[in-house]
Amino acid sequence: MRWLGIVAWKMEAVSKKPKRVSFHKEVEVQVAAAADEEQQGNVDVEEDVEEDEEEELDPYVCWADKSIHIGLLQTSTDVPSLTTFTPEFTHQVVGESEKVVGYEGLDIQLLYSAGALTPFLSMNYEECITDEDPYAQPEDPLPMIREWLPADGIMTSRDAFLAKVDADATEFRPLPSLVPLSVESASMAGSAPSVESSGSASSSAALVEARNDNDTYELTVVGSEVEGFKEYHARAQTFCIWYIESASFLDLEDDKWRVIYLYKKQTSPDGKGSTYSLLGFVSIYLYYAYPENVRPRISQVIVLPPYQRQGHGKRLLRAAYQYGMTLDNLVDITVEDPAPSFTKLRDVVDLENCMQHKDLVHFKFVSTFPTAFLELAQSKLKLSRLQTRRMYEILALFAVQRGELMPEQFETIVQTRLQQALKKEQLGRERMRHVLDADMLAQAQARDEAMVKQCDAQAQALVLEYAQVLRSVLS
């Protein structure tokens, strides 16, 4: 075994009789150590960057991501205690430098009513470069921001905006849903059920989770045929530009788009009704699949910063799956260019879903990806082929942990897939061997060795990824 030792499947004998090391415990140690090292590395890098930034910036130059403050207000009384958040990306708005020139102490406020998302935009600063040099020309960042906001409805009067916030709190209601979505089903998560049981987990477990939660949530799925959708999502998708790198807006005229919104529902201040706060949304495009089928693709998933790390990403992804299952002639549900953080979330949710099915968990794992597993997973969960293969490997690792599969067998399963490209190149070279000279063959051999090392490195990374996913689901 070249690489499986990184998760400490075995250890060197410390006495004459070798001891078997607990896989789960050793994986936790290895993953935790890697996470600590990575976190420490990130801290060091961030500190160095911050020091560089402080040295590089001139007095009248501000970082856009530190100057733009975004906030959500449920009522006007939230203002004294309002906690704003800053964007992760600003390059599409203010330029690649991500700086605003001409001000000291720049404070740009982009506020929204929490449910209806009525926007308010203002700018303040401590000093302007014209105070020192009357001929200097400071940049005006507000027009740059307005380009990404809806053309109508941007408020600039604070008093008028606060009055609108209170009106929205009383009057706003989510758009009507095209199909009913169950928050309980979308909340089914946490610890995986016993793999000894077959079929789906009962809804009572989800209802218990909902009852134990202090908040009430609502889901709604809408599209262009729903009145008010275009205007509402024109406001909602403005968050994408700050939190998705190289984000683009949806074509709201395209009737193939679906958006699922997640709201928190609370009792209104007067106690006579309810107020709604948008927590996040997921956008889905309904692609055609031959001959008369549909293949939904998840495009964007946004959880607003105040509500992150509270399980809402899981709720949205499960809601997307729940909606997909309502479609006629569904082939599978895919994802468009997932970020690493979303890949982890997707793995956890998909593995939790797999754990509901005994025939998937206790499948007889072999080195060649079996068609039977693909058909079984796609019929039950509508996973894409690539994601099904990933679940196959994670479940194989779980089988090793339970002692149902040897570590060497798991290594073969992963390496068989990773080395497919290498074997394809080698097969093509064998067919062309009669026209290749010695130098070309030597270069090809060197490429083969490099690809083998690359496969080993990928395998090491995958084992850690899979172990983290298993730990998240089983803990």
Side-chain angles (χ1 to χ4, degrees):
M1 275 180 286
R2 294 183 300 273
W3 49 268
L4 205 50
I6 65 168
V7 290
W9 294 102
K10 296 180 180 180
M11 64 181 290
E12 295 295 332
V14 293
S15 63
K16 292 183 179 180
K17 184 177 180 180
K19 295 182 180 179
R20 180 80 175 183
V21 178
S22 166
F23 160 77
H24 192 60
K25 184 173 182 179
E26 287 299 324
V27 166
E28 288 189 347
V29 171
Q30 293 288 341
V31 171
D36 290 342
E37 182 178 354
E38 180 181 359
Q39 183 178 9
Q40 183 60 45
N42 289 342
V43 170
D44 293 340
V45 171
E46 290 173 356
E47 289 176 351
D48 292 341
V49 170
E50 289 176 358
E51 290 175 2
D52 292 341
E53 291 172 355
E54 291 174 359
E55 293 174 1
E56 293 174 4
L57 292 187
D58 293 327
Y60 290 100
V61 179
C62 300
W63 291 102
D65 62 347
K66 295 181 179 179
S67 303
I68 299 172
H69 301 96
I70 306 171
L72 298 165
L73 283 82
Q74 295 176 336
T75 69
S76 59
T77 58
D78 292 340
V79 173
S81 58
L82 178 65
T83 300
T84 58
F85 44 95
T86 55
E88 293 183 18
F89 305 104
T90 60
H91 59 280
Q92 292 194 97
V93 179
V94 301
E96 291 299 326
S97 70
E98 299 192 292
K99 299 172 185 175
V100 180
V101 178
Y103 308 93
E104 277 191 2
L106 180 62
D107 177 18
I108 300 172
Q109 290 203 339
L110 178 57
L111 307 179
Y112 295 84
S113 56
L117 302 182
T118 301
F120 166 81
L121 183 63
S122 70
M123 183 178 81
N124 295 290
Y125 50 85
E126 295 174 1
E127 292 186 21
C128 180
I129 194 171
T130 54
D131 298 337
E132 182 175 312
D133 182 357
Y135 298 101
Q137 295 296 319
E139 292 179 337
D140 187 353
L142 296 188
M144 304 179 197
I145 297 174
R146 287 194 186 98
E147 287 184 13
W148 296 93
L149 299 177
D152 299 327
I154 305 174
M155 305 191 73
T156 55
S157 166
R158 182 173 292 271
D159 291 340
F161 170 67
L162 294 178
K164 186 68 169 66
V165 167
D166 289 334
D168 286 346
T170 303
E171 300 169 4
F172 172 77
R173 293 294 179 268
L175 297 171
S177 188
L178 294 173
V179 297
L181 295 178
S182 167
V183 177
E184 285 77 16
S185 297
S187 298
M188 262 174 42
S191 59
S194 170
V195 298
E196 296 302 321
S197 61
S198 60
S200 300
S202 66
S203 60
S204 61
L207 291 172
V208 168
E209 179 177 320
R211 285 198 298 268
N212 288 340
D213 204 332
N214 293 325
D215 297 313
T216 301
Y217 304 106
E218 284 193 12
L219 287 162
T220 179
V221 53
V222 298
S224 60
E225 59 267 55
V226 177
E227 184 179 358
F229 163 69
K230 298 174 185 177
E231 294 78 10
Y232 186 75
H233 198 69
R235 301 192 294 274
Q237 67 182 353
T238 57
F239 291 101
C240 296
I241 211 65
W242 306 116
Y243 297 102
I244 298 179
E245 190 172 10
S246 302
S248 58
F249 287 167
L250 306 190
D251 178 3
L252 300 178
E253 300 296 330
D254 192 333
D255 62 3
K256 295 294 191 293
W257 281 110
R258 297 288 183 270
V259 180
I260 299 174
Y261 300 105
L262 175 63
Y263 295 95
K264 180 168 67 173
K265 181 180 178 181
Q266 296 174 297
T267 303
S268 60
D270 59 12
K272 298 179 180 180
S274 300
T275 62
Y276 291 84
S277 301
L278 179 68
L279 308 185
F281 62 85
V282 53
S283 60
I284 305 167
Y285 193 81
L286 304 181
Y287 278 92
Y288 163 80
Y290 181 85
E292 296 294 338
N293 300 320
V294 63
R295 174 170 277 161
R297 179 179 294 176
I298 296 172
S299 176
Q300 298 169 332
V301 179
I302 286 285
V303 177
L304 302 185
Y307 310 111
Q308 291 175 3
R309 301 187 182 280
Q310 299 174 32
H312 300 312
K314 274 189 180 183
R315 285 190 173 93
L316 285 168
L317 181 55
R318 287 185 174 277
Y321 287 167
Q322 185 185 160
Y323 170 69
M325 292 297 186
T326 69
L327 301 174
D328 295 330
N329 303 320
L330 173 66
V331 176
D332 56 21
I333 301 172
T334 62
V335 177
E336 178 182 347
D337 299 328
S341 58
F342 183 79
T343 297
K344 170 72 179 298
L345 171 66
R346 183 189 185 191
D347 285 344
V348 169
V349 171
D350 288 345
L351 184 59
E352 288 174 346
N353 291 338
C354 286
M355 290 291 194
Q356 312 298 320
H357 302 282
K358 183 179 178 180
D359 43 2
L360 291 177
V361 176
H362 293 290
F363 196 86
K364 186 176 180 180
F365 297 97
V366 294
S367 60
T368 303
F369 183 47
T371 302
F373 186 92
L374 175 65
E375 293 175 349
L376 190 62
Q378 289 190 325
S379 66
K380 293 178 180 292
L381 303 175
K382 298 300 181 182
L383 300 180
S384 67
R385 182 183 181 89
L386 289 177
Q387 186 66 3
T388 301
R389 181 68 180 263
R390 191 170 173 90
M391 289 298 104
Y392 182 78
E393 294 177 1
I394 295 177
L395 287 171
L397 185 60
F398 184 36
V400 175
Q401 180 183 355
R402 301 194 312 273
E404 297 177 6
L405 191 71
M406 294 299 295
E408 294 83 355
Q409 293 173 292
F410 171 74
E411 178 182 0
T412 302
I413 290 172
V414 176
Q415 289 287 19
T416 297
R417 175 175 62 84
L418 294 178
Q419 293 182 2
Q420 283 177 347
L422 173 61
K423 291 180 179 179
K424 184 177 180 179
E425 182 173 324
Q426 289 174 334
L427 180 61
R429 187 168 62 247
E430 285 298 321
R431 293 172 179 170
M432 300 291 293
R433 179 176 287 275
H434 63 285
V435 297
L436 299 178
D437 59 28
D439 288 342
M440 297 175 69
L441 288 172
Q443 292 174 5
Q445 180 65 31
R447 285 199 304 272
D448 288 352
E449 294 174 358
M451 290 183 70
V452 169
K453 292 181 180 179
Q454 184 179 9
C455 287
D456 287 344
Q458 290 176 340
Q460 292 178 19
L462 281 175
V463 171
L464 286 177
E465 286 181 27
Y466 294 169
Q468 288 178 317
V469 173
L470 278 168
R471 187 176 64 166
S472 296
V473 172
L474 299 174
S475 60

Coordinates of all heavy atoms in Angstrom, one line a residue, residues 138-183:
P138 N -12.1 62.3 -6.8 CA -12.3 61.0 -6.1 C -13.3 60.1 -6.9 O -14.1 60.7 -7.7 CB -13.0 61.4 -4.8 CG -13.6 62.7 -5.1 CD -12.7 63.4 -6.1
E139 N -13.2 58.8 -6.8 CA -14.1 57.9 -7.4 C -15.4 58.0 -6.7 O -15.5 58.2 -5.5 CB -13.6 56.5 -7.4 CG -12.3 56.3 -8.2 CD -11.9 54.8 -8.1 OE1 -12.2 54.1 -7.1 OE2 -11.2 54.4 -9.0
D140 N -16.5 57.8 -7.5 CA -17.8 57.7 -6.9 C -18.3 56.2 -7.0 O -18.6 55.8 -8.1 CB -18.8 58.6 -7.6 CG -20.2 58.6 -6.9 OD1 -20.4 57.9 -5.9 OD2 -21.1 59.4 -7.3
P141 N -18.2 55.5 -5.9 CA -18.6 54.0 -6.0 C -20.1 53.7 -6.1 O -20.4 52.6 -6.5 CB -18.0 53.5 -4.7 CG -18.1 54.6 -3.7 CD -17.8 55.9 -4.5
L142 N -20.9 54.7 -5.8 CA -22.3 54.5 -5.8 C -22.9 54.1 -7.2 O -23.7 53.1 -7.3 CB -23.1 55.6 -5.2 CG -22.9 55.9 -3.7 CD1 -23.8 57.0 -3.2 CD2 -23.0 54.7 -2.9
P143 N -22.5 54.8 -8.2 CA -23.0 54.4 -9.6 C -22.5 53.0 -9.9 O -23.3 52.2 -10.6 CB -22.4 55.4 -10.5 CG -22.2 56.6 -9.7 CD -21.8 56.1 -8.3
M144 N -21.3 52.6 -9.5 CA -20.8 51.2 -9.8 C -21.7 50.2 -9.1 O -22.0 49.1 -9.7 CB -19.4 51.1 -9.2 CG -18.4 52.0 -9.8 SD -16.8 51.7 -9.0 CE -15.9 53.3 -9.4
I145 N -22.2 50.5 -7.9 CA -23.0 49.5 -7.1 C -24.4 49.5 -7.7 O -25.1 48.5 -7.9 CB -23.1 49.9 -5.7 CG1 -21.7 49.8 -5.0 CG2 -24.1 49.0 -4.9 CD1 -21.6 50.2 -3.6
R146 N -24.9 50.7 -8.1 CA -26.3 50.8 -8.7 C -26.4 50.0 -10.0 O -27.5 49.5 -10.3 CB -26.7 52.3 -9.0 CG -26.9 53.1 -7.7 CD -27.6 54.4 -8.1 NE -27.8 55.3 -6.9 CZ -26.9 56.2 -6.6 NH1 -25.9 56.5 -7.5 NH2 -27.1 57.0 -5.6
E147 N -25.3 49.8 -10.7 CA -25.4 49.0 -11.9 C -25.8 47.6 -11.6 O -26.4 46.9 -12.5 CB -24.0 49.0 -12.6 CG -23.7 50.3 -13.3 CD -22.3 50.2 -14.0 OE1 -21.8 49.1 -14.2 OE2 -21.8 51.3 -14.4
W148 N -25.6 47.1 -10.4 CA -25.9 45.7 -10.1 C -27.2 45.6 -9.3 O -27.6 44.5 -9.0 CB -24.7 45.1 -9.3 CG -23.5 45.0 -10.1 CD1 -22.5 46.0 -10.1 CD2 -23.1 44.0 -10.9 NE1 -21.5 45.6 -11.0 CE2 -21.8 44.3 -11.5 CE3 -23.6 42.8 -11.3 CZ2 -21.1 43.5 -12.4 CZ3 -23.0 42.0 -12.2 CH2 -21.7 42.3 -12.7
L149 N -27.8 46.7 -9.0 CA -29.1 46.7 -8.3 C -30.2 46.9 -9.3 O -30.0 47.4 -10.4 CB -29.1 47.8 -7.2 CG -28.1 47.7 -6.1 CD1 -28.2 48.9 -5.2 CD2 -28.2 46.4 -5.3
P150 N -31.5 46.5 -8.9 CA -32.6 46.8 -9.8 C -32.7 48.3 -10.2 O -32.4 49.1 -9.3 CB -33.8 46.3 -9.0 CG -33.2 45.4 -8.0 CD -31.9 45.8 -7.7
A151 N -33.1 48.5 -11.4 CA -33.1 49.9 -11.8 C -34.1 50.8 -11.0 O -33.9 52.0 -10.8 CB -33.5 50.0 -13.3
D152 N -35.2 50.2 -10.6 CA -36.2 50.9 -9.8 C -36.2 50.5 -8.4 O -35.9 49.3 -8.1 CB -37.6 50.7 -10.4 CG -37.7 51.1 -11.9 OD1 -37.0 52.1 -12.2 OD2 -38.4 50.5 -12.7
G153 N -36.5 51.4 -7.5 CA -36.8 51.0 -6.1 C -35.6 51.1 -5.2 O -35.7 50.7 -4.0
I154 N -34.5 51.7 -5.6 CA -33.4 51.9 -4.7 C -33.7 53.1 -3.9 O -33.8 54.2 -4.4 CB -32.0 52.1 -5.4 CG1 -31.8 50.9 -6.4 CG2 -30.9 52.2 -4.4 CD1 -30.6 51.1 -7.2
M155 N -33.8 53.0 -2.6 CA -34.1 54.1 -1.7 C -32.9 54.8 -1.2 O -31.9 54.1 -0.9 CB -35.0 53.6 -0.5 CG -36.3 52.9 -1.0 SD -37.5 52.6 0.3 CE -38.1 54.3 0.5
T156 N -32.9 56.1 -1.1 CA -31.8 56.9 -0.6 C -32.1 57.7 0.7 O -31.2 58.2 1.3 CB -31.2 57.8 -1.7 OG1 -32.3 58.6 -2.2 CG2 -30.7 57.0 -2.8
S157 N -33.4 57.8 1.0 CA -33.8 58.5 2.2 C -33.9 57.5 3.3 O -34.7 56.6 3.3 CB -35.2 59.2 2.0 OG -35.7 59.6 3.2
R158 N -33.2 57.7 4.4 CA -33.2 56.8 5.5 C -34.5 56.7 6.2 O -35.0 55.6 6.5 CB -32.1 57.2 6.5 CG -32.0 56.2 7.7 CD -30.8 56.5 8.5 NE -29.5 56.3 7.8 CZ -28.9 55.1 7.8 NH1 -29.4 54.1 8.5 NH2 -27.8 54.9 7.2
D159 N -35.2 57.9 6.4 CA -36.5 57.9 7.0 C -37.5 57.1 6.2 O -38.3 56.3 6.7 CB -36.9 59.3 7.3 CG -36.1 60.0 8.4 OD1 -35.4 59.3 9.2 OD2 -36.1 61.2 8.4
A160 N -37.5 57.4 4.9 CA -38.5 56.7 4.0 C -38.2 55.2 4.0 O -39.1 54.4 4.0 CB -38.4 57.3 2.6
F161 N -36.9 54.8 4.0 CA -36.6 53.4 4.0 C -37.0 52.7 5.3 O -37.6 51.6 5.2 CB -35.1 53.3 3.8 CG -34.6 51.9 4.0 CD1 -34.9 50.9 3.1 CD2 -33.8 51.5 5.1 CE1 -34.4 49.6 3.3 CE2 -33.3 50.2 5.3 CZ -33.7 49.2 4.4
L162 N -36.8 53.3 6.4 CA -37.2 52.7 7.7 C -38.7 52.6 7.7 O -39.3 51.6 8.3 CB -36.7 53.5 8.9 CG -35.2 53.5 9.0 CD1 -34.8 54.4 10.2 CD2 -34.6 52.1 9.2
A163 N -39.5 53.5 7.2 CA -40.9 53.4 7.1 C -41.3 52.2 6.2 O -42.3 51.5 6.5 CB -41.5 54.7 6.6
K164 N -40.6 52.1 5.1 CA -40.8 51.0 4.2 C -40.5 49.6 4.8 O -41.2 48.6 4.6 CB -40.0 51.1 2.9 CG -40.4 50.1 1.8 CD -41.8 50.4 1.3 CE -42.0 49.6 0.0 NZ -42.0 48.1 0.2
V165 N -39.5 49.6 5.6 CA -39.1 48.3 6.3 C -40.3 47.9 7.2 O -40.6 46.7 7.2 CB -37.8 48.5 7.2 CG1 -37.6 47.4 8.2 CG2 -36.6 48.7 6.3
D166 N -40.8 48.8 8.0 CA -42.0 48.5 8.8 C -43.2 48.0 8.0 O -43.9 47.1 8.4 CB -42.3 49.7 9.7 CG -41.3 49.9 10.8 OD1 -40.6 48.9 11.2 OD2 -41.1 51.1 11.3
A167 N -43.4 48.7 6.9 CA -44.5 48.3 6.0 C -44.3 46.9 5.5 O -45.2 46.1 5.4 CB -44.7 49.3 4.9
D168 N -43.1 46.6 5.0 CA -42.7 45.3 4.5 C -42.9 44.2 5.5 O -43.4 43.1 5.2 CB -41.3 45.3 4.0 CG -41.1 46.0 2.7 OD1 -42.1 46.4 2.0 OD2 -40.0 46.3 2.3
A169 N -42.6 44.5 6.8 CA -42.7 43.5 7.8 C -44.1 43.1 8.0 O -44.4 41.9 8.4 CB -42.1 44.1 9.1
T170 N -45.0 44.0 7.8 CA -46.5 43.7 8.0 C -47.1 43.1 6.7 O -47.9 42.2 6.8 CB -47.2 45.0 8.4 OG1 -46.7 45.5 9.5 CG2 -48.7 44.7 8.6
E171 N -46.7 43.6 5.5 CA -47.4 43.3 4.3 C -46.7 42.2 3.5 O -47.4 41.5 2.7 CB -47.5 44.6 3.4 CG -48.2 45.7 4.1 CD -48.0 47.0 3.4 OE1 -47.4 47.0 2.3 OE2 -48.5 48.1 3.9
F172 N -45.4 42.0 3.6 CA -44.8 41.0 2.7 C -45.2 39.6 3.0 O -45.2 39.2 4.1 CB -43.3 41.2 2.8 CG -42.5 40.1 2.0 CD1 -42.4 40.2 0.6 CD2 -42.0 39.0 2.6 CE1 -41.8 39.2 -0.1 CE2 -41.3 38.0 1.9 CZ -41.2 38.1 0.6
R173 N -45.5 38.9 1.9 CA -45.7 37.4 2.0 C -44.9 36.8 0.8 O -44.8 37.3 -0.2 CB -47.2 37.1 1.8 CG -48.0 37.6 3.0 CD -47.7 36.8 4.3 NE -48.5 37.3 5.4 CZ -48.1 38.2 6.2 NH1 -47.0 38.9 6.0 NH2 -48.9 38.6 7.3
P174 N -44.3 35.6 1.1 CA -43.6 34.9 0.0 C -44.5 34.6 -1.2 O -45.7 34.5 -1.1 CB -43.2 33.5 0.7 CG -43.2 33.8 2.1 CD -44.3 34.8 2.4
L175 N -43.9 34.6 -2.4 CA -44.6 34.3 -3.6 C -45.2 32.9 -3.5 O -44.6 32.0 -2.9 CB -43.6 34.4 -4.8 CG -43.0 35.8 -5.0 CD1 -41.9 35.7 -6.1 CD2 -44.1 36.8 -5.4
P176 N -46.3 32.7 -4.2 CA -47.0 31.4 -4.1 C -46.1 30.3 -4.8 O -45.5 30.5 -5.8 CB -48.3 31.6 -4.9 CG -48.0 32.8 -5.8 CD -47.1 33.7 -5.0
S177 N -46.1 29.1 -4.2 CA -45.2 28.1 -4.7 C -45.8 27.3 -5.8 O -47.0 27.0 -5.8 CB -44.8 27.1 -3.5 OG -43.9 26.2 -3.9
L178 N -45.0 26.9 -6.8 CA -45.5 26.1 -7.9 C -45.9 24.7 -7.4 O -46.9 24.2 -8.0 CB -44.4 26.0 -9.0 CG -44.1 27.3 -9.7 CD1 -42.9 27.1 -10.6 CD2 -45.2 27.8 -10.5
V179 N -45.2 24.2 -6.5 CA -45.6 22.9 -5.9 C -45.3 23.0 -4.4 O -44.4 23.8 -4.0 CB -44.7 21.7 -6.5 CG1 -45.0 21.5 -8.0 CG2 -43.2 21.9 -6.3
P180 N -46.0 22.3 -3.6 CA -45.8 22.4 -2.1 C -44.4 21.7 -1.8 O -44.1 20.6 -2.3 CB -47.0 21.6 -1.5 CG -47.4 20.7 -2.6 CD -47.2 21.4 -3.9
L181 N -43.7 22.3 -0.9 CA -42.4 21.7 -0.5 C -42.5 21.6 1.1 O -42.9 22.6 1.8 CB -41.2 22.6 -0.9 CG -40.9 22.7 -2.3 CD1 -39.7 23.7 -2.6 CD2 -40.6 21.4 -3.0
S182 N -42.0 20.5 1.6 CA -42.1 20.2 3.0 C -40.8 20.7 3.7 O -39.7 20.2 3.3 CB -42.3 18.8 3.3 OG -42.1 18.4 4.6
V183 N -40.9 21.6 4.6 CA -39.7 22.0 5.4 C -39.2 20.8 6.2 O -38.0 20.6 6.4 CB -40.0 23.2 6.3 CG1 -38.8 23.5 7.2 CG2 -40.5 24.4 5.5

